Amino acid sequence: MPSVCFYFQVHQPMRLRHYTVFDKNDYYFDDYKNASICRKVANKCYLPTNRLILDLINRFDGRFKVAYSITGVLLEQLLTFSPEVMSTFDALAETGCVEFLGETYYHSLSFLYSRNEFVEQVNKHSETINKYFGQTPRIFRNTELIYNNELATLIESTGKFDAIITEGADHILGYRSPNFVYKPKDCKHLKLLLKNYALSDDIAFRFSNRDWTQWPLTADKFAHWISDVNGNGNVVNLFMDYETFGEHQWEDTGIFDFMRHLPETVLRHPDNNFKTPSEVVESYQPVGIVDVPHVISWADIERDLSAWVGNAMQSNAIHELYRLEKKIKQTGNEKIISDWRKLQVSDHFYYMCTKYFADGDVHKYFNPYNSPYDSYINFMNVLGNLNSRCSKTSEKQAASLTPQQKATKRFMKAGSHINKPSELQPIHPGEPVNQE
Amino acid sequence: MKVFMLGWEFPPFISGGLGTACYGLTRAMDQLGMEVTFVLPKMVESSYATHVKLLSPNSWISSASFRLSEFKNVKFHAISSTLQPYTTPDSYRLQIEETLRQKQLSLGGGLSQAGQITCGDDYSTDMYSEVHRYAAVAVELAKTEHFDIVHAHDWMTYPAGIAVSAFTEKPLIVHVHSTEFDRSGENVNQTIYNIERQGMERASKVITVSHLTRSTVINRYGISGDKVEVVYNGVERNGNWSLAETGIKNDEKLVLFLGRITMQKGPEYFLHAAKKVLGVMDNVKFVMVGSGDMMHRSIEMAAELGIGHKVLFTGFLRGEDVQKIYQMADLYVMPSVSEPFGIAPLEALNNDVPVIISKQSGVSEVLTHALKVDFWDTDEIANKMIAVLKYPPLQETLASHGNFEVRKLRWKDAAAKCVKIYEETLVAV
C-alpha cells in the first residue's frame, strides 16, 4: 500500500542590486526586483496553490496531506511584500494536515563550508517556523537536497530531527528502489527519505512537454503509476519546487486541474493514502542502509555540486565569503551578520554557473543577470564592500572607548618611557579627549 | 565554380579588419577548392612589378598578376591604385598630394628609375574618380577572366563590382563589412551612401557580417530582407606561432585597446574608463595600439585626464608585434560606438586574453563568454576592467571558455556559407 508523500520547496532568493566597485552604499539588495518577483510568484503560484491545497484538505476531510519547506529568506520577503501569503500558509498549518520541514534559514551551502554557521542557521530556521506556524520541524532537508553520510551524522547529533530528506539518485541506490524508508550509514535513530525523481520530474519538468510520449499527463494516469508501486514499495516521495504550480508549469498547461483531481484518483484505490514525512517515518521501518560517502544534490543530470561550485569563479566567491566568517561575527553587528548571511543564499552561486548550454533552461529561470560573469563581478563587489564595513566597524569600536580606556590605550602606545605617574597628564571623565 | 573577388589588402600589409576578413575568407575558399580571381588595389612599385608578370605594362591599365605559394586555387591581380581601406575623401587628397610630391622629389634628385612608383597620370586626384577609374580597370581585367560570380567587399569596390557584373552578366554579391553609418555616425557622406546603396540594390545577394549590420542594411538602405544574409567572420587559428619571450618583466597589469583610433572605435570611452580604474588601483598600464584620425586627440586627452604616464600609444603594429602585445595583455577592451563585426576580440581570445566588448558590436552576437557593456557607460566599463584585473578566477574563466568558444568560429564555415549563397544565387539566375 503505497503512501504518497508530497513535499514542496518554497524559496525565493534576495537578489542583489547592480553594484559596482565604485558603490559605497551598504544596501545591497534590489528591493524593486525582489518585490515584483515575490508578488508575481505569489499571484501565479503561492496564493492559488495554497487555496487549492486548503480546498483539497477540507474536501477529503484530512486524508490529503502535504509538507512544505519554506526558507527564512522567503518568509522575510513574504512578510514585507506579500503578507497575504503568510496568512494562507498559516491557515494551512492550522488544518493539522500540513507539516513544515527544517532547513538552513538562508538556503545556504554552509554545511560544506562552516559547520558552526550551518547549525546556527538550522536553529534559526526552526525557531522561525515555530514562531509563525506553531510547529517545530522534525524532518530535515538540506539546501538543494545536498547530502552525504557526514550530514546525516551531524543532523542526528543535534537530536532535533527524526529523518532527513535527499535525492533518490541512481548511483547511491543501485538496484534498490527509492520507495522505501532507509537508514543513513553510521546513524542510530535517524531515517532517510528518498525522492522518487522519475515520478516527481514527471510533474515538475515533463508535465507540459509535448514531445514526451506520456503527454498529456492526467491525474488518472499518474494515480495508476502510483498504484503500480503497490507490493514493491511503501511510499512514493514526490518532492518538487512549489513554483512548479503556476510558474514553471503555467496555469494554461492544466497543472492546477491535474492537482485538483489527483487526490481523488489516488484515494480511489483503497490501499493508497497520503502521509506527511513524519507520518511516513512513524509508519515504516527502514529496509536497509544507504551509504553516501560523496556529496550529492538534486541538480541537473550530474546530481552533484557543479551547478554551484563547478567553476573557478564560483569556488573563489564562496571561499572568499566563508573566509570572512570570523571577521564578520567579531563585529557583533547584527546588520553586517545578516547581510553576510544573505550572501550565502545558494542562488548567488547558481547564477555564476557557466555550464548553461545543456541545462540552460532551468539555470536562466529568474536569473537577474545577463551572464555568469556579471553575477560574479556583482557579488565580489558587494563582498568587497561588506569586508570594508567590518574593518570600519572595528575602528569605530575602537573610537567608542571611554576616555579612561583611551587614555590607557594611549599610555600603552606611548611606550615605556613614561612610567612615572607624575609625568602622566591627568584625565577627567567627560572632558574631550584629543583624537590621535 | 569560379569567383571574381574584389577584395582588399593582404598580409603583411594589413591595416584593419577588412584586410583580415578578405584574407581569412579567401584562404578558406582556397582550401575548399574554390577557384578565385582576387583583385585588389595596390601601389605597384616598378621594382616589385618586374618580378611578376605585367599584363599590360605600358597601357593605362597598370596591373600585376601573381600567385602566392600558400594559395593553390587563387590568382591575384593587383591593380595599381591609391585606394586604401578606411580612407576618407579628405585623407585621400592629402595622400595623393604627398605621393606626387615624393615623385617630383625623386625625379628632381635624378635618382634611378628603380623603386619609382608608377603613378602620376594613372591616379585620380579625388577619391570618387579613383573609385570609378578602378572600376574601369577591373572591367578590362574581367574581360580576360572566366568566372561565374562577382563578390565585392565594401563600398570602394562596389562600382567595380557593378561594372564587372553588368559587362559580364554575372550575378553580383556585395559583402558589407561596415556601412557609412558605422564610420561616420549620423553625419553620413551622401556620395558614399549612394554608392553603397547602389551596390546593395544591384547585388543579387547582400552578405553582412552580423545581424546588427543586416538590420542597418534593411532599415537604412531600404534593402529587402530576403536578399540579405549574415555570414559571421571567423578567426585564424594559427598554432605555430613561436611564443617568443618578450623579455619584459612586468608586475603591472596591461589593458589593451587595439584598433584604429577613430570615432567609430570609441577611444575616448576607453580613456575615461582608464581614469576611473586608476582611481581604484595603481598597478595598471593602458596600451592603445593603432593609428587613426583621433590618435592625437587621444594622446591629448590622456594628458588632460592626468593619466598620460599610464597610457602608452604604440602606433600601428603588425604581425609578430601584435602577437607580443596580446601575450603581454591581461585584458582586451573594445568600446566601439559602432562595430559591424569586430575581429580583434576573437584574436584576443585566440591568445587567451579575456575581452570586454561593446553591446553595440556584431561580435557580441556570437560571443557568450565575454563581458558586454554599453560603450558610453564608462562606470560599468571601469567596473568590469577592475573585476578582471582584481580577480584571477574571472580572468581565467573568461579566457578559457572564450578561447574554446572562438574555436567554433572558423573561416572555413564562413567560406562554406558564402559558397552556399553563390549556389543559391546562380540557381535563381
Side-chain angles (χ1 to χ4, degrees):
Chain A
M1 53 172 283
S3 303
V4 177
C5 177
F6 267 115
Y7 134 60
F8 303 119
Q9 181 61 34
V10 199
H11 166 65
Q12 285 296 329
M14 282 187 190
R15 294 159 196 85
L16 298 171
R17 71 184 177 90
H18 181 65
Y19 200 90
T20 73
V21 70
F22 306 109
D23 273 285
K24 297 279 178 275
N25 190 300
D26 64 5
Y27 195 77
Y28 305 139
F29 303 97
D30 190 336
D31 281 350
Y32 176 77
K33 193 176 275 165
N34 289 325
S36 54
I37 291 177
C38 186
R39 292 198 187 105
K40 180 173 158 262
V41 180
N43 288 325
K44 285 177 76 180
C45 166
Y46 302 153
L47 289 171
T49 319
N50 281 2
R51 207 175 298 128
L52 174 64
I53 299 287
L54 191 61
D55 284 350
L56 290 170
I57 288 170
N58 291 334
R59 179 141 60 99
F60 292 94
D61 212 14
R63 289 168 67 212
F64 179 68
K65 290 163 187 179
V66 296
Y68 292 101
S69 190
I70 312 181
T71 64
V73 278
L74 178 69
L75 287 172
E76 283 185 26
Q77 295 186 80
L78 288 177
L79 285 168
T80 323
F81 306 131
S82 301
E84 68 278 20
V85 176
M86 288 300 284
S87 54
T88 59
F89 273 120
D90 197 35
L92 284 168
E94 282 178 11
T95 63
C97 297
V98 172
E99 178 171 14
F100 291 88
L101 311 184
E103 64 172 306
T104 56
Y105 186 95
Y106 293 93
H107 199 262
S108 72
L109 305 174
S110 51
F111 166 68
L112 302 167
Y113 298 94
S114 166
R115 298 289 151 91
N116 284 339
E117 177 62 17
F118 173 74
V119 172
E120 282 175 41
Q121 288 189 18
V122 172
N123 291 340
K124 186 175 161 90
H125 184 257
S126 289
E127 286 158 21
T128 310
I129 292 298
N130 189 285
K131 178 177 158 198
Y132 291 116
F133 304 116
Q135 284 186 20
T136 301
R138 299 294 305 169
I139 310 289
F140 183 77
R141 64 78 69 179
N142 196 17
T143 310
E144 319 290 1
L145 297 191
I146 288 168
Y147 178 86
N148 67 3
N149 293 339
E150 272 183 73
L151 175 71
T153 322
L154 180 64
I155 288 298
E156 186 170 67
S157 73
T158 67
K160 291 176 177 166
F161 295 98
D162 303 321
I164 196 163
I165 276 176
T166 190
E167 175 73 21
D170 292 334
H171 64 277
I172 63 163
L173 283 175
Y175 67 92
R176 293 183 290 182
S177 153
N179 304 331
F180 291 96
V181 175
Y182 290 89
K183 218 169 80 141
K185 192 168 179 283
D186 305 329
C187 282
K188 287 198 180 83
H189 313 293
L190 201 71
K191 292 177 182 173
L192 192 60
L193 297 182
L194 299 170
K195 174 183 157 194
N196 183 321
Y197 71 82
L199 287 171
S200 299
D201 292 353
D202 284 341
I203 301 176
F205 297 126
R206 286 180 283 271
F207 184 80
S208 61
N209 180 358
R210 288 171 185 244
D211 296 330
W212 182 35
T213 51
Q214 298 296 338
W215 187 89
L217 181 62
T218 60
D220 277 326
K221 192 189 283 180
F222 195 78
H224 190 73
W225 293 345
I226 283 173
S227 300
D228 280 351
V229 173
N230 216 333
N232 188 29
N234 295 326
V235 56
V236 177
N237 292 315
L238 299 176
F239 303 160
M240 62 197 73
D241 280 340
Y242 204 32
E243 288 83 8
T244 300
F245 302 95
E247 194 53 71
H248 298 326
Q249 309 290 345
W250 289 2
E251 192 185 353
D252 60 13
T253 63
I255 190 79
F256 288 107
D257 291 328
F258 170 83
M259 199 60 195
R260 189 170 293 117
H261 292 107
L262 190 65
E264 65 182 74
T265 49
V266 168
L267 293 171
R268 204 175 285 154
H269 199 298
D271 285 344
N272 295 348
N273 58 29
F274 288 93
K275 279 188 197 296
T276 64
S278 278
E279 290 173 342
V280 168
V281 171
E282 270 171 40
S283 311
Y284 305 111
Q285 287 308 308
V287 298
I289 290 171
V290 173
D291 181 13
V292 187
H294 304 294
V295 182
I296 61 163
S297 81
W298 70 354
D300 303 339
I301 314 152
E302 301 91 343
R303 301 284 198 269
D304 62 7
L305 297 177
S306 58
W308 301 277
V309 290
N311 69 34
M313 296 187 295
Q314 293 170 308
S315 162
N316 174 251
I318 204 158
H319 280 290
E320 288 300 312
L321 178 70
Y322 283 101
R323 202 158 64 93
L324 287 183
E325 178 175 359
K326 204 173 155 197
K327 201 171 166 186
I328 295 273
K329 288 183 175 168
Q330 269 171 356
T331 66
N333 180 321
E334 285 300 318
K335 177 86 175 48
I336 288 179
I337 295 172
S338 147
D339 282 346
W340 176 68
R341 287 181 160 163
K342 284 172 190 163
L343 291 181
Q344 294 181 38
V345 175
S346 68
D347 302 68
H348 296 309
F349 309 100
Y350 202 63
Y351 300 144
M352 298 175 198
C353 179
T354 43
K355 54 166 195 172
Y356 50 48
F357 294 113
D359 302 311
D361 298 341
V362 190
H363 286 238
K364 273 181 188 157
Y365 193 76
F366 282 146
N367 186 339
Y369 299 100
N370 290 323
S371 88
Y373 304 103
D374 289 357
S375 83
Y376 172 79
I377 294 172
N378 215 47
F379 184 89
M380 294 307 278
N381 286 339
V382 168
L383 197 60
N385 184 275
L386 186 66
N387 191 8
S388 69
R389 276 165 72 197
C390 293
S391 316
K392 266 183 218 148
T393 310
S394 38
E395 276 165 30
K396 256 189 220 158
Q397 278 174 341
S400 64
L401 298 173
T402 63
Q404 283 89 348
Q405 284 169 319
K406 264 187 195 167
T408 319
K409 214 174 167 195
R410 199 188 304 174
F411 175 68
M412 303 298 283
K413 232 185 220 172
S416 54
H417 66 279
I418 308 175
N419 45 17
K420 291 179 195 162
S422 59
E423 289 175 23
L424 291 173
Q425 295 286 320
I427 289 169
H428 304 288
E431 222 173 70
V433 176
N434 291 336
Q435 295 288 324
E436 278 171 24
Chain B
M1 197 192 308
K2 289 186 183 174
V3 189
F4 191 82
M5 179 102 61
L6 290 152
W8 290 97
E9 54 189 4
F10 258 46
F13 306 103
I14 292 276
S15 61
L18 185 56
T20 311
C22 286
Y23 175 74
L25 188 67
T26 308
R27 214 172 103 107
M29 282 191 176
D30 179 63
Q31 283 159 1
L32 288 177
M34 297 283 293
E35 285 194 54
V36 181
T37 301
F38 194 97
V39 182
L40 71 162
K42 199 168 182 164
M43 300 276 279
V44 182
E45 295 174 20
S46 302
S47 59
Y48 172 60
T50 53
H51 297 293
V52 292
K53 184 187 112 201
L54 280 180
L55 286 181
S56 43
N58 297 317
S59 80
W60 58 284
I61 312 169
S62 327
S63 108
S65 76
F66 56 95
R67 281 182 179 274
L68 292 175
S69 57
E70 55 181 314
F71 293 86
K72 281 193 199 112
N73 309 308
V74 183
K75 185 158 69 166
F76 292 90
H77 287 292
I79 294 178
S80 178
S81 168
T82 43
L83 291 181
Q84 281 175 5
Y86 313 118
T87 39
T88 61
D90 289 339
S91 65
Y92 181 85
R93 200 178 315 116
L94 291 174
Q95 181 199 335
I96 281 290
E97 281 164 11
E98 179 64 20
T99 310
L100 291 176
R101 196 175 311 123
Q102 276 184 359
K103 190 187 174 191
Q104 278 162 358
L105 271 179
S106 68
L107 286 176
L111 292 172
S112 74
Q113 295 289 306
Q116 183 198 325
I117 299 164
T118 60
C119 78
D121 301 337
D122 293 354
Y123 301 128
S124 309
T125 48
D126 85 280
M127 190 168 58
Y128 307 117
S129 310
E130 179 62 15
V131 164
H132 289 287
R133 192 193 67 84
Y134 183 77
V137 180
V139 171
E140 289 302 312
L141 247 177
K143 285 178 183 172
T144 64
E145 295 286 329
H146 295 283
F147 51 87
D148 307 295
I149 203 153
V150 185
H151 189 155
H153 295 267
D154 267 13
W155 75 271
M156 279 187 253
T157 67
Y158 292 173
I162 294 169
V164 170
S165 167
F167 187 82
T168 59
E169 296 184 335
K170 302 294 183 194
L172 170 68
I173 310 274
V174 300
H175 202 130
V176 186
H177 297 266
S178 87
T179 69
E180 184 58 13
F181 294 97
D182 302 308
R183 291 181 297 262
S184 309
E186 289 305 306
N187 181 23
V188 300
N189 179 315
Q190 189 60 34
T191 314
I192 295 176
Y193 172 83
N194 290 347
I195 294 173
E196 287 182 325
R197 200 181 55 184
Q198 196 185 21
M200 295 173 196
E201 279 172 353
R202 295 288 191 87
S204 304
K205 287 273 183 190
V206 178
I207 294 174
T208 61
V209 290
S210 62
H211 285 281
L212 182 80
T213 306
R214 182 175 184 269
S215 70
T216 308
V217 165
I218 293 169
N219 298 327
R220 308 304 286 265
Y221 294 84
I223 305 300
S224 155
D226 32 291
K227 76 171 198 183
V228 191
E229 305 264 357
V230 176
V231 176
Y232 289 124
N233 287 328
V235 63
E236 197 72 10
R237 187 138 188 104
N238 212 338
N240 48 12
W241 287 319
S242 59
L243 303 180
E245 282 296 314
T246 54
I248 299 169
K249 289 256 173 186
N250 204 339
D251 59 348
E252 277 185 316
K253 302 278 185 180
L254 199 153
V255 181
L256 184 64
F257 174 103
L258 192 150
R260 283 172 298 112
I261 302 182
T262 59
M263 182 281 292
Q264 186 191 340
K265 303 288 181 182
E268 70 270 40
Y269 302 105
F270 181 78
L271 289 171
H272 280 289
K275 164 88 179 165
K276 288 175 181 171
V277 171
L278 290 166
V280 176
M281 54 201 297
D282 195 44
N283 59 332
V284 199
K285 279 249 165 70
F286 297 84
V287 178
M288 298 189 80
V289 177
S291 53
D293 57 12
M294 274 187 58
M295 176 134 168
H296 292 293
R297 178 74 201 97
S298 299
I299 296 171
E300 278 170 22
M301 187 186 274
E304 283 164 15
L305 290 169
I307 55 170
H309 60 300
K310 286 290 193 177
V311 185
L312 305 172
F313 291 84
T314 67
F316 193 83
L317 294 183
R318 284 202 169 86
E320 240 176 65
D321 290 334
V322 175
Q323 295 310 317
K324 267 188 202 164
I325 204 83
Y326 276 133
Q327 277 152 32
M328 291 164 66
D330 295 281
L331 171 65
Y332 172 85
V333 182
M334 185 183 79
S336 294
V337 175
S338 178
E339 187 72 63
F341 190 79
I343 292 182
L346 304 186
E347 291 175 340
L349 286 170
N350 226 344
N351 287 283
D352 293 311
V353 181
V355 300
I356 297 178
I357 56 179
S358 87
K359 289 178 187 167
Q360 291 74 15
S361 69
V363 71
S364 92
E365 292 170 22
V366 295
L367 285 182
T368 24
H369 297 286
L371 300 177
K372 298 175 187 180
V373 291
D374 288 305
F375 68 85
W376 44 262
D377 193 350
T378 51
D379 271 342
E380 188 58 26
I381 297 174
N383 180 39
K384 291 194 156 129
M385 283 178 172
I386 292 165
V388 173
L389 300 176
K390 213 162 128 187
Y391 306 120
L394 177 65
Q395 192 180 347
E396 285 156 23
T397 315
L398 276 169
S400 64
H401 284 60
N403 184 290
F404 187 76
E405 192 169 47
V406 294
R407 288 182 209 180
K408 290 184 289 186
L409 294 168
R410 294 177 304 176
W411 278 115
K412 203 175 116 193
D413 300 324
K417 204 164 171 196
C418 282
V419 172
K420 199 169 152 262
I421 293 170
Y422 296 161
E423 284 164 358
E424 285 165 9
T425 311
L426 290 170
V427 167
V429 170

